[in-house]
Amino acid sequence: MTTIKRIAILTSGGDAPGMNAAIRAVVLAAHHYHIDIIGFYHGYNSLVCADNINQAQLLTLGDVNNIIHRGGTILKSARCLQMETEEGLKQAAKTLTSENIDALIVIGGDGSFHGLLALKVHWQGQLIGIPGTIDNDLDSTDFTIGFATAVNTAIEAIDKIRDTADAFERIFIVELMGRHSGHITFNVGIACGAEQVLSFENFSVEDKQTKLQQLANEIKSAQENRHSSYIIVIAENLWPGGAIELAKELKQEASIDCTACVLGHIQRGGSPVPKDRLLATKMGVAAIQAIINGETNIMIAEQHSAICHIALEQAVKHHKVVNQQLVDAQENILALTAQNQY
Ligand code: F6P
């Protein structure tokens, strides 16, 4: 029999497909143990807002009925700068105490987990993070909720771009999300057979001029040898001015016509793929079990298909790097295309 009675839950930062599935799992698992789940709306804002009336509500089984397949988050999401101030943190602690909350579950990325860590100094309740971000950049978990769906969405979009690019023998530069990490870019680029993958792992802005020349040479050589489409995928925040600027520079420096496409927030939306629904469900249930077992200051993670607990400090210490085998695979494939062997 647990002494836990009320658990708060919120979603914070960039929403990710599968957040709803995680909320649902938390509510269903808590119900099993006769624990109330209080949903706080608009990320941490509902905690730091002194007048949080209408910003928090008991989540019933009915509230989470038929949401496993829905993108976005029923709790809404936001970024909250007040969580970086002493005043905001104190208010958040006060809200949790006045609502008789025993534990707080936050579904989000590293910024959201920094908020949890800061809160630890001001509030004695249990703190649990569930990794939910399309960026997949949290260390110590193989995958974050939302990544698989974002990759799938981007692949579907680029496959369509490929059709029209092929028909017109056009060059496309497609910019993908990921903030400062290349997980989406590398996975999508390779899965789409992109001729070039440009990301933080294989490009540094100091080499911009050399890269521009190299790209121009490789595009020209590919076009001379085989008339067909050419797709460059590029991580956002990598090239100064992004895909649009790169297209302009290729035109100015090498008279190459490229069409730039910034895929943007389409990558954040849509129905979660099965992998995200399953990951979210396992993590949501694990969060409730961890709270009942008295755990705190942890992120629920998955490593080699097994759920585990990682100290929050560890989870935010480093950004997860892209698998080197993926980077190497792209290099090898690129070498073949550059030699026109395929
Ligand atoms: O962290 C998720 C993410 O979608 C990043 O990939 C992207 O850089 C950022 O959020 C965009 O944030 P916003 O929607 O606030 O512009």
Side-chain angles (χ1 to χ4, degrees), residues 79 133-135 177-179 236 265 268:
R79 297 194 170 90
T133 164
I134 62 164
D135 301 339
M177 272 189 170
R179 198 175 294 273
E236 65 171 351
H265 290 78
R268 286 238 297 258

Side-chain angles (χ1 to χ4, degrees), residues 13-16 79 109-110 132-137 176-181 184 236-237 264-265 267-268:
D15 52 283
R79 297 194 170 90
D110 68 337
T133 164
I134 62 164
D135 301 339
N136 200 36
D137 56 350
L176 297 173
M177 272 189 170
R179 198 175 294 273
H180 298 293
S181 71
I184 295 181
E236 65 171 351
N237 301 317
H265 290 78
Q267 293 158 97
R268 286 238 297 258

